Amino acid sequence: MNAGSKADTKRQSKFSSLMADPIAAISFADPHADPYGHMGLVRNPDGSVTRQFEHPKTPVSSYDGSPILLVKDVPINQSKNTGARIFLPKEALESFPGRKLPLLIYFHSGGFVILSVATTGFDDFHRALATEVPFVVVSIEHRLAPEHRLPAAYEDCLEALHWIKNSQDEWLEKYADLSNSFLMGSSSGGNIAYHVGLSASSCVDDLKPLNIKGLILHQAFFGGNKRTESELRALNDTFIPPCVTDVLWELSLPVGADRDHEFSNPVLSIKPGQFDQIKALGWKILMAGYENDALFDRQFEIAKMLEGEGVPVVTNFVEGGYHGIDMFESTKTKVLCEVVKEFIISFVTTA
């Protein structure tokens, strides 16, 4: 068995352990034969999809009695069925009222099409971000494509920022330092953090007292029509090969758009002065990823583009790995948390 096959087997084993047996069997249909079925979807003749199952979710009640964490769900826009899951480290209660924790506004993965803030596979990741950095974490529930194509997710997440700044939620008021806030996303959530960050940079006065200091793009999901070298290397991947990401873009981009659309391939759509406000605000962008990720070349290209535009970028690109490794392997989760922690501390030491 080669290294790639071993990695695929490890990922599938970890993911399958989170699911009931029949669901796991559907989830790992051959992606090359049926990329929709691989994600638990059936494509209908009219272009819509039927969801074969709901990925397992962890109820808030499962955190009852946790010695380190308090968790609750809150609605944001009930007409859109959007909301947030808030993770509050208990150390915030112990340090109150003397010290508040930084606020992390997190956008989950799932290719804009599947998964949610409550997806069981995200439990350890949320817990680690909240307790090991630590942060008050607000993980945003946005609408999914294809029922709600982009820019719906961007709009929902920007709306969430306004909800946070106006929120009278006790946890946010007492324990979160809104003046020390960061946007972070994994995979498609990293794409959201990029686009929502750009939008937020143009309306910072409207968002006060929420003060965003930086963006964290974690294995961010970007695309394009022409295959990159890292995508070509992943053609035979059995977990998330390019044929699967192609389908995710097909389902999430505006109808008729291709993968060179600005939502998926922003490098092709740079406008003069587009990043001037981000630079003026002193924001920094952390980009984290792995070289064996099929999306690596896209992430690297975005980092180089941002650097070329004069945006302060911190890169943490690591050899090996695969897409989603920080969700599946606890040792990697801890390393990522340390990288994020160093990034946050840098704002204090350079202030």
Side-chain angles (χ1 to χ4, degrees), residues 307-320:
E307 289 175 343
E309 293 291 324
V311 177
V313 177
V314 178
T315 58
N316 188 72
F317 293 131
V318 182
E319 291 183 359

Side-chain angles (χ1 to χ4, degrees), residues 104 125 128-129 132-133 135 182 184 215-219 284-290 313-318 326 331-347:
L104 182 72
F125 192 71
L129 287 172
E132 294 189 21
V133 176
F135 281 119
F182 298 83
M184 177 177 178
L215 312 179
I216 303 168
L217 312 186
H218 171 229
Q219 291 196 289
K284 290 190 288 189
I285 299 178
L286 169 63
M287 296 200 66
Y290 288 84
V313 177
V314 178
T315 58
N316 188 72
F317 293 131
V318 182
D326 299 311
T331 56
K332 300 298 185 184
T333 305
K334 289 182 179 293
V335 171
L336 177 66
C337 286
E338 285 300 315
V339 171
V340 171
K341 188 172 186 176
E342 289 181 12
F343 180 67
I344 304 307
I345 291 173
S346 74
F347 287 85

Side-chain angles (χ1 to χ4, degrees), residues 145-205:
E147 296 86 353
H148 305 283
R149 292 174 175 267
L150 295 173
Y154 303 150
E155 294 167 351
D156 293 346
C157 292
L158 185 61
E159 182 180 29
L161 302 188
H162 287 274
W163 174 83
I164 290 170
K165 73 110 174 183
N166 290 319
S167 177
Q168 296 181 338
D169 180 86
E170 180 185 12
W171 289 5
L172 296 183
E173 285 189 326
K174 283 187 175 182
Y175 308 116
D177 181 2
L178 269 61
S179 69
N180 193 23
S181 299
F182 298 83
L183 305 185
M184 177 177 178
S186 301
S187 194
S188 56
N191 178 294
I192 292 172
Y194 172 87
H195 287 287
V196 172
L198 275 175
S199 297
S201 71
S202 66
C203 61
V204 288
D205 289 338

Side-chain angles (χ1 to χ4, degrees), residues 12 15 30 92 130 181 188 191 227 243 274 279 314 319 344:
Q12 292 182 6
F15 196 81
D30 181 355
S181 299
S188 56
N191 178 294
R227 293 280 191 240
C243 63
Q274 183 172 352
K279 291 185 288 185
V314 178
E319 291 183 359
I344 304 307

Side-chain angles (χ1 to χ4, degrees), residues 6-28:
K6 288 180 180 178
D8 292 344
T9 300
K10 189 170 187 177
R11 284 178 283 177
Q12 292 182 6
S13 176
K14 173 67 173 178
F15 196 81
S16 296
S17 70
L18 301 174
M19 300 195 173
D21 288 343
I23 294 178
I26 296 173
S27 179
F28 288 105

Side-chain angles (χ1 to χ4, degrees), residues 189-262:
N191 178 294
I192 292 172
Y194 172 87
H195 287 287
V196 172
L198 275 175
S199 297
S201 71
S202 66
C203 61
V204 288
D205 289 338
D206 291 339
L207 289 173
K208 290 180 179 178
L210 183 68
N211 180 32
I212 298 166
K213 291 191 171 182
L215 312 179
I216 303 168
L217 312 186
H218 171 229
Q219 291 196 289
F221 182 32
F222 295 102
N225 288 339
K226 185 178 179 181
R227 293 280 191 240
T228 65
E229 290 186 10
S230 62
E231 290 168 341
L232 290 172
R233 290 195 300 268
L235 286 176
N236 294 322
D237 186 85
T238 59
F239 189 64
I240 310 179
C243 63
V244 169
T245 57
D246 288 352
V247 166
L248 292 171
W249 287 121
E250 174 193 327
L251 294 174
S252 59
L253 288 170
V255 174
D258 63 24
R259 296 192 303 274
D260 277 341
H261 189 278
E262 63 181 307

